[in-house]
Amino acid sequence: MKEAGQNNDQSWNQLVETYGPFIYQSIRRSGIQSADAADIMQIVLLEVHRSLQSFERQHKGSFRKWLNAVTRNKVIDFCRKRNKLEEITTQQQSDVADSEHKIDQAIPDERQQALVKILQDVKNSVSGKTWQAFEMTEANVETSDQIGRRLGISAAAVRMARRRVLLQIELLYVQHKQKPE
């Protein structure tokens, strides 16, 4: 593996041929369209190339787990960027609409209803402790260590719970947005 990160073309080509399909399919399973999946795959491979020297194999299968984590993080980054652009566009459109019409604030719009449903679905799909860790970290009142002590778990488990919940929210939100209306 490390040879691929040392500008060894043959090793790098073998790594790409071996793991490229795994990366691509993992991205597509996240609901990403094929053109975007190909772009994200290139970003993942670039990150793998940059980070391969520091990778330490812990046990059999740890490289795939590491590769999967890098892929998942790049999918999340992509979704965040895309959602940010959509939010900016939506906000600009909303600003124009607000200036033309007064919107009744008491009635939640479809987007708000969808977000409430997504949050409820995620809450129902995780353990109570995971959801508590997520809510407490989002409130940003205590540190991960303090939350962990309160819930009887490690600070790393608190951070992992938050990350898992955020990933599920983002993936459900992306899937919701891709549904035909």
Side-chain angles (χ1 to χ4, degrees), residues 84-102:
K84 191 67 172 170
L85 288 174
E86 289 174 359
E87 285 176 25
I88 290 169
T89 303
T90 302
Q91 184 60 45
Q92 289 170 341
Q93 292 169 347
S94 177
D95 289 346
V96 170
D98 284 347
S99 66
E100 295 173 2
H101 307 295
K102 288 292 181 186

Side-chain angles (χ1 to χ4, degrees), residues 20 30 33 41 62 90-91 95 123 146-147 170 173 177:
S30 298
Q33 295 180 3
M41 186 174 95
S62 63
T90 302
Q91 184 60 45
D95 289 346
K123 183 178 181 179
Q146 293 167 324
I147 295 168
E170 288 172 338
Y173 184 71
K177 291 192 72 89

Side-chain angles (χ1 to χ4, degrees), residues 7-92:
N7 293 329
N8 182 328
D9 290 343
Q10 184 179 3
S11 295
W12 178 252
N13 289 339
Q14 183 179 357
L15 185 140
V16 171
E17 287 176 22
T18 303
Y19 294 102
F22 168 77
I23 295 168
Y24 182 81
Q25 289 303 318
S26 182
I27 295 166
R28 290 286 286 146
R29 278 193 302 274
S30 298
I32 305 292
Q33 295 180 3
S34 60
D36 291 331
D39 291 342
I40 296 170
M41 186 174 95
Q42 293 299 318
I43 294 168
V44 169
L45 289 171
L46 183 63
E47 180 66 26
V48 167
H49 189 268
R50 270 191 239 139
S51 304
L52 204 52
Q53 291 296 348
S54 62
F55 173 75
E56 293 293 329
R57 183 178 293 249
Q58 303 296 320
H59 51 78
K60 185 175 176 153
S62 63
F63 180 74
R64 266 189 187 255
K65 285 184 180 181
W66 175 73
L67 191 59
N68 195 37
V70 171
T71 302
R72 185 177 59 245
N73 288 336
K74 295 305 174 186
V75 167
I76 291 169
D77 291 346
F78 172 81
C79 292
R80 282 186 181 141
K81 287 176 186 172
R82 185 173 62 189
N83 287 342
K84 191 67 172 170
L85 288 174
E86 289 174 359
E87 285 176 25
I88 290 169
T89 303
T90 302
Q91 184 60 45
Q92 289 170 341

Side-chain angles (χ1 to χ4, degrees), residues 97-111:
D98 284 347
S99 66
E100 295 173 2
H101 307 295
K102 288 292 181 186
I103 298 174
D104 185 1
Q105 298 294 327
I107 302 173
D109 64 14
E110 291 178 12
R111 182 173 174 261

